[in-house]
Every structure is written in C-alpha cells, then in structure tokens.
C-alpha cells in the first residue's frame, strides 16, 4: 500500500503531508459520520430493494463479482464456532477465482491472528494482506498522518499496539493504569510522554478514569496538532443468548466528550477501510460485494462506496429492521438497506455448483 495513496484515502482533500496532519480531524465529519455516508450511498445507488439472493439472481450476482468483502463476527462465525456451511461457501468462491478479503471493526486481533482463526475454523487459507481490521487500518492511517518519530497514546489492546509496532509507530498507554494520587491535583501531574502526537482509541478492557485523564491531557497539550483517532463507533457488542457488552464507540464518545472534539474513525462505515482495500488490490466497486450482518456498519459502508451489498441474517440484524428502514419516508434510512439478503452464507452454495 503506497504511503501517499493511504493518506489520500484517509483525508480526501488533504493530500500533502502537512495537510494530512493538520486536517486529519477536520475531514472527520465527511468520512466518519453516518449521515454523510448515507447521503453518498443514496446519491450513488438510489433506493434498494433488499431481495433474497437465490436462484438465477444469485448466479448472476456472483458471476459479476471479482471480489467479496466479508465481515467476520456474525457472518463467518459466532464466537469460536463457524457458521454452518460458511467455510464450504468460501471454498467454492475461492475455487471460482474470487478474491476474498475480510473487513472487521474488531481491533482486538492482529491480522496474523485472523488468518490463524480462518485456518482453524476450516476456511480457505488467507494471507495477512487479505485482512483489514480496524487495528491495521488505524496503524496505516497514523503512519501517514504523524510526523517521523511521533508516538501514540493508546487506549486499546495488545493487538492494536502490535499493529502500530509493525509500521514503526512508538506507543504508550496499553494495559491497566491507576490514578497517581488521591486528589485531582495529583491526577494532572502524571508524566506525559513528550513524543505523543495522537490519541488512538480502540477496544480497551482496561479503560479507566485514569486513562481518560491522560488522553485528555495529551489532547489539551497538543491542541489540533494532536490527532484523535478511533477504530470504530460500534456502541454494543452482542453476545450469545441476547447478552451484550459496551463497544468501542462508548470509549470513543467518552474521550470526545472530555476533549470537546470529534475523532476521525477508520472503521466501518467510514470508507477509509474500503480505500485501504482498494490500495492493496485492484478492486472495481461495480464488481465487488460487501457481505455483512450489521446495517449501520457493513451495509452502510458498502452502499456509500458503490458496492453490491449482501446482508446475512446470522448476526445482529433481523429482516423486520430492514423493512422498517425500507418503508420509512427518510432517505437517509434508505442508505441502510442492502441490495440482497440471505439467511446464511451457506445459502450461496446452490448458486456456486459442486
């Protein structure tokens, strides 16, 4: 992936190095907010019908596609169990010469860990270059937006830190943190790393008030030149049995509220993640299918980027939710409607032959 091209994808108008640093958060409204992405998607594609993908329509759609982008959780697997028939469907797609890429907002695994999980669950072999996680994309973004030698303060996992290390970005902040004393006067005396020029927020099981204080202090010290970047805005992570836990979006919002500024988001539905794919592979949007289970991330990104969108009902979305958006009088909600749906990726098997 070329360095200048990544900056172009991330910043849109801000192509030069200085502009990339100074305007990284200035373009966040255009790229990181769902409303703008919805408007782009609707302008490009018009109302979508959300038809079941089967029979001749399935054969035609797959024949026209060179590349398929898959979300992972809720599409290919649930937790540590593969969705029944999903591995077989991807095997046939790979045998038919389709390019398979994986785009996920999960920042808790490295690309190497994803390739290992795909192998372990019986999916076709994948190389790390086929994995586009929000951790990987955040590292690529910061590699271009930060000056040489600059570091990041990270609220995130070891996997997010590892992706930063892979591109040579120093970092501090991972792991648990405690307040340095009993009073607020003590909290603002904790040492700050001089080289930090960005605050990066991902999923962090050790998120705490102490970390929030440090993130705010870095942002106040650096002003607009200290970037605020989030991996995604997913507000809730669903678990089996209807349970859920707070997602990264909750942590991003806490930092945004404290700093009174908005983060640049690299994950879906921001098109930056698709632009990362397009910089790595010669992807034609007209011949690309985005497969996902979430309307506000997977489907919205696909629609805003001019891709064919396919919803699978093995994850968090029910068909009634789609119909509600489809039947509403709100054009922005129409941007959440996919072109097609299937009950499961396994439903593609008949169209793929033997």
């Amino acid at each position: 992936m070329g360095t200048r091209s990544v900056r172009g994808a991330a910043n849109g108008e801000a192509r030069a190095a200085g502009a990339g640093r100074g305007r990284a958060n200035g373009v966040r409204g255009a790229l990181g907010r769902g409303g703008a992405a919805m408007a782009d998607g609707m302008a490009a594609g018009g109302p979508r019908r959300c038809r079941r993908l089967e029979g001749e329509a399935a054969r035609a759609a797959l024949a026209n596609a060179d590349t398929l982008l898959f979300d992972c959780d809720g599409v290919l697997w649930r937790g540590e169990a593969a969705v029944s028939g999903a591995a077989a469907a991807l095997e046939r797609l790979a045998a038919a010469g389709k390019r398979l890429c994986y785009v996920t907002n999960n920042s808790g695994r490295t690309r190497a860990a994803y390739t290992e999980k795909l192998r372990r669950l019986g999916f076709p072999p994948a190389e790390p270059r086929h994995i586009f996680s929000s951790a990987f994309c955040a590292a690529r973004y910061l590699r271009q937006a930060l000056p040489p030698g600059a570091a990041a303060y990270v609220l995130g996992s070891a996997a997010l830190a590892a992706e930063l290390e892979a591109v040579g970005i120093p970092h501090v902040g991972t792991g648990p943190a405690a307040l340095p004393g009993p009073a607020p006067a003590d909290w603002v005396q904790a040492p700050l790393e001089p080289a930090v020029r960005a605050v990066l927020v991902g999923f962090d099981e050790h998120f705490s008030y102490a970390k929030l204080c440090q993130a705010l202090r870095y942002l106040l010290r650096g002003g607009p030149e200290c970037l605020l970047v989030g991996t995604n805005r997913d507000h809730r992570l669903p678990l089996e049995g209807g349970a859920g836990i707070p997602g990264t979006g909750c942590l991003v919002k806490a930092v945004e509220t404290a700093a009174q500024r908005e983060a640049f988001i690299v994950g879906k539905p921001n098109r930056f993640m698709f632009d990362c794919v397009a910089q790595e592979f010669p992807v034609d949007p007209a011949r690309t299918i985005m497969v996902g289970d979430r309307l506000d991330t997977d489907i919205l990104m696909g629609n805003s980027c001019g891709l064919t969108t396919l919803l699978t009902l093995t994850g968090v979305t029910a068909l009634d939710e789609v119909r509600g958006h489809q039947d509403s009088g709100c054009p922005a909600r129409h941007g959440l409607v996919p072109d097609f749906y299937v009950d499961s990726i396994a439903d593609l098997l008949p169209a793929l032959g033997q």
Side-chain angles (χ1 to χ4, degrees):
M1 188 183 300
T3 57
R4 187 172 298 276
S5 58
V6 174
R7 181 182 293 129
N11 292 303
E13 300 169 1
R15 304 293 181 181
R21 293 190 293 272
R23 300 179 64 186
N25 285 296
V27 299
R28 60 191 179 269
L31 294 179
R33 302 186 70 175
M38 290 181 204
D40 291 344
M42 291 308 301
R48 291 170 174 84
R49 296 175 57 190
C50 190
R51 296 172 292 165
R52 180 182 288 275
L53 190 61
E54 59 185 351
E56 187 55 40
R59 286 187 285 273
L62 294 173
N64 184 63
D66 298 325
T67 303
L68 289 92
L69 310 180
F70 289 94
D71 180 44
C72 297
D73 298 290
V75 176
L76 303 180
W77 56 67
R78 299 188 193 94
E80 291 301 313
V83 170
S84 179
L90 267 65
E91 285 282 6
R92 291 190 192 176
L93 288 166
K98 308 300 183 184
R99 179 186 296 115
L100 308 181
C101 294
Y102 306 91
V103 290
T104 173
N105 275 355
N106 190 330
S107 64
R109 283 193 177 95
T110 62
R111 290 182 298 157
Y114 270 103
T115 61
E116 169 57 23
K117 184 168 184 177
L118 287 163
R119 183 204 62 77
R120 188 172 68 252
L121 296 183
F123 288 92
E127 299 176 20
R129 67 192 294 253
H130 294 100
I131 310 296
F132 296 86
S133 69
S134 62
F136 167 77
C137 293
R140 291 302 180 268
Y141 177 79
L142 289 178
R143 183 182 67 178
Q144 295 311 308
L146 290 174
Y153 179 68
V154 178
L155 294 87
S157 66
L160 183 55
E163 294 291 2
L164 293 175
E165 292 166 8
V167 298
I169 297 176
H171 61 86
V172 296
T174 55
L179 291 169
D186 301 314
W187 306 342
V188 296
Q189 297 302 317
L192 296 178
E193 170 59 49
V196 167
R197 294 292 182 273
V199 171
L200 173 59
V201 186
F203 184 79
D204 188 354
E205 63 186 76
H206 300 295
F207 187 85
S208 64
Y209 191 79
K211 287 192 169 188
L212 183 59
C213 284
Q214 286 294 85
L216 175 60
R217 293 180 64 216
Y218 278 120
L219 293 166
L220 291 176
R221 183 190 70 177
E225 292 302 310
C226 184
L227 306 181
L228 174 56
V229 180
T231 58
N232 64 83
R233 290 194 184 277
D234 295 359
H235 63 279
R236 185 183 301 166
L237 304 179
L239 303 177
E240 293 292 335
I245 59 174
T248 301
C250 301
L251 313 187
V252 172
K253 180 59 70 175
V255 178
E256 288 179 324
T257 301
Q260 298 183 37
R261 56 187 285 194
E262 190 174 354
F264 178 83
I265 305 297
V266 300
K268 298 172 292 185
N270 194 331
R271 70 169 294 128
F272 178 70
M273 185 169 277
F274 174 73
D275 290 340
C276 287
V277 178
Q279 292 298 328
E280 184 70 25
F281 299 104
V283 176
D284 178 359
R287 297 182 63 83
T288 301
I289 300 176
M290 175 68 223
V291 186
D293 71 313
R294 296 185 75 127
L295 302 181
D296 59 350
T297 56
D298 306 319
I299 301 307
L300 182 54
M301 185 192 77
N303 287 344
S304 68
C305 294
L307 316 182
T308 298
T309 47
L310 174 60
L311 173 71
T312 175
L313 300 178
T314 49
V316 300
T317 301
L319 200 55
D320 286 348
E321 183 180 349
V322 181
R323 299 306 184 203
H325 293 305
Q326 193 173 26
D327 297 339
S328 78
C330 176
R333 289 180 65 185
H334 295 167
L336 299 170
V337 177
D339 294 301
F340 302 103
Y341 78 93
V342 289
D343 292 326
S344 164
I345 293 303
D347 292 355
L348 300 179
L349 284 167
L352 292 167
Q354 298 298 324

